[in-house]
Amino acid sequence: MPSLGRLHLITDTRPGCDPLAVVRAALPVARADLVVQVRVDDDTTDRQAYDLARRVRALCVPYGATCLVNDRLHVALAVDAHGGHVGADDLPVAAARRVLGPAAVLGATAREPGTAARAVAAGASYLGVGPCHPTATKTGLPDPIGPAGIRAVAAAVDVPVIAIGGVTAATVPALRAAGAHGVAVVGALSAAADPGRATAELIAALTC
Ligand SMILES: Cc1ncc(COP(=O)(O)OP(=O)(O)O)c(N)n1
Ligand SMILES: Cc1nc(C(=O)O)sc1CCOP(=O)(O)O
Ligand SMILES: [Mg+2]
């Protein structure tokens, strides 16, 4: 399996957002180091999710970037995405692996070492670990786990750990020092005045 990109751009489909514009700005900067995870609101229809994922994949492929679909693995299969991401409210990891097949990239959410180890044993290719810091993007999250939480999970598994939750370029160094392979962001790119510049700042923090 090719190495996993270090910057995971999670699409923001809230009112006023333009997820494709953000993807188009990030791709020429991050190129193969970019993973675009198509994440849509719960009230988004499958047809809307399919149309967005199909367009994201088409943008990603020429740059060697990875296209994943959050939650809706049937949409990932339908658009021939590189894989998907599941959490506690989605298909269990073992079932998700059966759906996507052995070659797919399959991410799983973990917040502590036990869940993380079980997810890897069940077939996860990488782990999304957080929330690292406070975030207003998603409600109902547990308390932030900080770099210490990343360190605890990274010590327990041998797959890439992707830190998520309130991540900015300024917080990347501590997360990498704690063992994160990369980071996942929503607001740091979707709310940026210049998403291309924000991508460059995140990539610089991930590669220095
Ligand atoms: C990289 C990454 N990490 C964690 C998540 C959260 O996924 P999940 O727990 O399935 O929650 P929702 O995103 O479905 O609300 C993620 N999407 N990506
Ligand atoms: C989608 C998501 N999942 C999280 C988790 O911890 O499970 S935090 C999160 C939102 C991340 O957005 P931002 O980069 O704007 O903080
Ligand atoms: Mg989910």
Side-chain angles (χ1 to χ4, degrees):
M1 181 180 295
S3 65
L4 182 68
R6 289 171 293 184
L7 178 56
H8 293 224
L9 185 177
I10 299 180
T11 60
D12 190 346
T13 59
R14 291 176 292 186
C17 294
D18 186 345
L20 288 173
V22 176
V23 172
R24 289 191 188 99
L27 277 168
V29 178
R31 304 185 68 85
D33 223 353
L34 189 67
V35 175
V36 182
Q37 182 188 133
V38 179
R39 179 177 186 267
V40 297
D41 299 336
D42 290 343
D43 61 359
T44 301
T45 65
D46 276 355
R47 176 62 65 90
Q48 292 167 327
Y50 171 85
D51 287 342
L52 177 60
R54 186 171 55 84
R55 296 171 74 180
V56 167
R57 183 194 184 279
L59 290 170
C60 285
V61 167
Y63 289 96
T66 301
C67 175
L68 304 178
V69 178
N70 181 56
D71 293 358
R72 305 189 198 198
L73 301 185
H74 58 296
V75 174
L77 292 173
V79 304
D80 194 21
H82 299 95
H85 188 98
V86 293
D89 294 337
D90 306 307
L91 283 180
V93 173
R97 175 55 71 191
R98 286 197 298 274
V99 167
L100 293 179
V105 177
L106 174 58
T109 301
R111 308 193 190 283
E112 44 79 32
T115 305
R118 287 189 292 273
V120 173
S125 315
Y126 76 87
L127 298 172
V129 182
C132 294
H133 305 294
T135 178
T137 301
K138 180 178 174 182
T139 59
L141 290 171
D143 291 340
I145 64 173
I150 294 294
R151 185 179 305 279
V153 170
V157 299
D158 58 0
V159 300
V161 168
I162 301 298
I164 188 170
V167 173
T168 64
T171 62
V172 166
L175 296 170
R176 287 183 68 205
H181 169 77
V183 298
V185 300
V186 178
L189 291 177
S190 70
D194 182 342
R197 178 181 179 135
T199 300
E201 292 169 355
L202 284 160
I203 291 292
L206 284 163
T207 52
C208 68

